[in-house]
Structures are given as structure tokens and as C-alpha cells.
Amino acid sequence: IPKRDWSSDVCSSDLDVRHTEFQGESTVQFFDSEGRELTWDDLPMQRAAATGKMARDVVMQIRLRDNRKLWVMGNAAPVCSRDGKVRGAIAAFVDFTSQKEAEDSRERARKEAFDRTTELHALLEAAPMGVWIAHDRGCRQITGNAFADKVIMGEIGRAHV
């Protein structure tokens, strides 16, 4: 297979691509993994072309004009001519939106479960009566609130239960 030097076929002005615009307004916005909006010059391909350094494992959110959000991860690398001058950049990104949404959903469910557990714990501790909870069907593991502990320890007589 003959080796081909593509750099001689590409003019730097051909690589000057800009955001797609619609009625003067950008159709997409780019954000880093922390939610900070990226300027055009912050994007991985532009950074690779400007600095001559590879950008690895870059995670970005792309917000489309119709409010859809896409999550992508990828790499960008400079494309250099034979004499070592940067002529442009190339990038490859993978859409992992569905995985990110599933991860976010799991995190929300975990937080909600933690919040409910915290609320239930506070309610049980404030209850003016003994409350026991069995953690298994055979009632081999049972826990109680502070009042229940006092009952078990004999600090509170049967008449108060």
C-alpha cells in the first residue's frame, strides 16, 4: 500500500471551520464536565491545532438548540506537515449520553434514598415510644430507636411502653 502525504492536499484555510449558525445565533453550546461553557478556542480540536499538543479523554456536554444534551468523550491531536508545522487537527469522540443519563439517574436515586433514610431516622429518634424495625423476614436482625433501647435496658418500665 503506497504511503500518502495528505498534508500537501490540505490548505490551512480549509480547516477554518466555525460554529454552525442559524439567524446569527449558535445552534450548539459546548460545556466542560464541570458545566463551564467553552469558547470556540477552548474546544479540543482548536486547542490541539493552536498548541500542537494532544488533548486526551476530554469530556464535554453539547447542548443543542432544541435543548437536547449530548455527552461525548474523546481525543484531539494536531496534524503536522513533514516539516513539523501544525496544519490542523483531527479528533474522535464517542457519544456516551445514555450511560451518563443512567449514571445521573442512579446518583439521584441514591441521594433520594439517603435523604429518606435520614428523615426516617430523625422521625424514629423523635418518636415518644419504642419502635423496632426487623431487617429480615425471620426477625434475626432488629434495631430500635433510643426509646426502644431504654425499654430493652429496663430504664423504662412496662407501663410506659
Side-chain angles (χ1 to χ4, degrees):
I1 300 175
K3 192 173 182 181
R4 179 151 172 76
D5 178 13
W6 292 97
S7 63
S8 62
D9 295 337
V10 179
C11 172
S12 62
S13 64
D14 294 336
L15 300 173
D16 189 22
V17 180
R18 296 285 181 237
H19 282 84
T20 303
E21 294 196 6
F22 180 75
Q23 296 177 351
E25 187 178 327
S26 178
T27 59
V28 295
Q29 291 175 292
F30 298 93
F31 295 85
D32 68 12
S33 59
E34 303 298 317
R36 292 180 296 262
E37 187 168 6
L38 300 173
T39 66
W40 180 254
D41 292 331
D42 293 331
L43 296 177
M45 279 186 64
Q46 284 66 22
R47 277 199 334 255
T51 65
K53 295 180 182 174
M54 187 168 186
R56 294 181 183 269
D57 301 324
V58 177
V59 174
M60 294 188 307
Q61 182 188 73
I62 302 170
R63 294 184 193 166
L64 305 176
R65 187 177 183 141
D66 63 4
N67 292 324
R68 284 184 297 147
K69 296 175 183 176
L70 305 175
W71 284 93
V72 297
M73 182 173 81
N75 303 312
V79 174
C80 299
S81 62
R82 287 184 186 205
D83 62 1
K85 292 183 181 175
V86 176
R87 302 289 294 167
I90 187 167
F93 284 83
V94 175
D95 180 348
F96 71 103
T97 303
S98 59
Q99 293 90 338
K100 178 70 171 153
E101 289 171 349
E103 179 185 310
D104 290 348
S105 179
R106 280 191 305 274
E107 180 59 26
R108 280 191 304 275
R110 188 205 60 75
K111 184 182 181 323
E112 185 177 312
F114 177 81
D115 291 347
R116 285 187 178 176
T117 301
T118 302
E119 289 172 3
L120 179 60
H121 185 271
L123 177 66
L124 291 175
E125 288 305 312
M129 66 183 86
V131 178
W132 289 269
I133 298 174
H135 297 277
D136 61 273
R137 287 185 174 186
C139 296
R140 289 181 295 275
Q141 182 184 1
I142 300 173
T143 57
N145 64 355
F147 197 98
D149 289 345
K150 290 179 182 179
V151 170
I152 295 293
M153 300 302 288
E155 296 175 23
I156 298 176
R158 288 183 169 276
H160 291 92
V161 178

